[in-house]
Amino acid sequence: DTEVTQTPKHLVMGMTNKKSLKCEQHMGHRAMYWYKQKAKKPPELMFVYSYEKLSINESVPSRFSPECPNSSLLNLHLHALQPEDSALYLCASSRGGEVHETQYFGPGTRLLVL
Amino acid sequence: GQNIDQPTEMTATEGAIVQINCTYQTSGFNGLFWYQQHAGEAPTFLSYNVLDGLEEKGRFSSFLSRSKGYSYLLLKELQMKDSASYLCAVAVQAGTALIFGKGTTLSVSS
């Protein structure tokens, strides 16, 4: 089983709203990632959690706030977003702690900020 | 800096063979991945190379030359469903995220 699930699939929000994206995996992976992908562009890393600790934060604006409640769950809290934040938000996971790892992606949440 | 180059678009016909090239210059190297992404969907893992040589998986093969900073993805017996974007990605070091190329959009026609 190499499934990463994400909810919701689609989200429309106003610039004053607060919403959360959720990601879950039950593969026993200990590394989880958030990527942002704009149309016709490659995924760009936002955050990496390794063993539930934030290990990489690629200078993402504070209106994006990640949270890793446990090894299976990863959230991305959204607040006061801008229209340019509209994108596909991808969650991925990998085993963690190994030299060579494959990242498996979830289906993504397509976000539209109005 | 990190740089991964691949052609923007390629076209081919059903049943043909197509090779998608990828060159990279990165600060480190811990493996190269190929992902397939259909429009509006998540990337799907295709292959992983960390040692030089050819890895074959059914209709898809991937090749790596670390000394040349070069990889290719070979797709045989093309089908219409192979129309997608193909992303080359490098793991710069263990335990870090991937750096993606801009992707190659492959269009397969009948």
Side-chain angles (χ1 to χ4, degrees), chain A residues 1-113:
Chain A
D1 181 13
T2 57
E3 188 178 23
V4 178
T5 60
Q6 291 186 242
T7 56
K9 289 186 178 181
H10 302 276
L11 179 63
V12 180
M13 60 187 291
M15 290 188 285
T16 58
N17 293 156
K18 286 184 181 180
K19 297 286 184 182
S20 295
L21 310 184
K22 297 184 184 301
C23 174
E24 190 168 5
Q25 55 84 18
H26 294 287
M27 297 179 277
H29 288 177
R30 302 307 298 271
M32 296 185 77
Y33 311 78
W34 280 116
Y35 288 86
K36 173 182 177 181
Q37 186 176 25
K38 302 282 276 185
K40 298 188 178 182
K41 299 286 186 182
E44 294 180 347
L45 179 68
M46 299 176 75
F47 303 103
V48 180
Y49 273 85
S50 181
Y51 290 80
E52 295 99 73
K53 292 185 179 178
L54 183 64
S55 63
I56 297 177
N57 176 350
E58 292 286 315
S59 301
V60 177
S62 60
R63 57 186 184 266
F64 296 92
S65 175
E67 178 196 18
C68 190
N70 60 56
S71 60
S72 300
L73 294 174
L74 184 66
N75 299 322
L76 186 63
H77 302 298
L78 314 173
H79 174 55
L81 294 193
Q82 303 298 310
E84 60 264 29
D85 297 322
S86 298
L88 179 67
Y89 288 83
L90 293 163
C91 173
S93 72
S94 65
R95 287 185 178 174
E98 296 187 0
V99 177
H100 304 297
E101 300 184 1
T102 296
Q103 291 183 27
Y104 297 94
F105 285 82
T109 293
R110 189 160 297 281
L111 174 67
L112 178 62
V113 181

Side-chain angles (χ1 to χ4, degrees), chain B:
Chain B
Q2 321 285 16
N3 193 43
I4 300 175
D5 287 321
Q6 48 183 134
T8 304
E9 293 181 342
M10 298 183 72
T11 59
T13 54
E14 268 188 308
I17 299 173
V18 71
Q19 178 174 312
I20 303 175
N21 295 325
C22 172
T23 58
Y24 63 91
Q25 300 93 40
T26 54
S27 57
F29 183 80
N30 193 49
L32 186 144
F33 296 80
W34 284 96
Y35 285 85
Q36 179 192 61
Q37 188 174 27
H38 287 97
E41 298 182 9
T44 303
F45 169 74
L46 291 178
S47 69
Y48 171 63
N49 294 70
V50 66
L51 299 176
D52 290 354
L54 187 68
E55 295 280 342
E56 297 188 77
K57 269 189 189 180
R59 294 190 299 117
F60 293 3
S61 303
S62 57
F63 172 82
L64 175 68
S65 169
R66 288 173 297 170
S67 62
K68 296 181 179 179
Y70 168 68
S71 174
Y72 68 72
L73 179 69
L74 191 71
L75 294 79
K76 302 176 186 175
E77 301 169 16
L78 281 174
Q79 303 173 10
M80 297 292 286
K81 67 178 183 179
D82 297 328
S83 294
S85 179
Y86 290 85
L87 299 166
C88 174
V90 172
V92 175
Q93 62 185 64
T96 63
L98 299 174
I99 299 173
F100 284 86
K102 293 186 177 179
T104 299
T105 300
L106 174 65
S107 299
V108 180
S109 59
S110 56

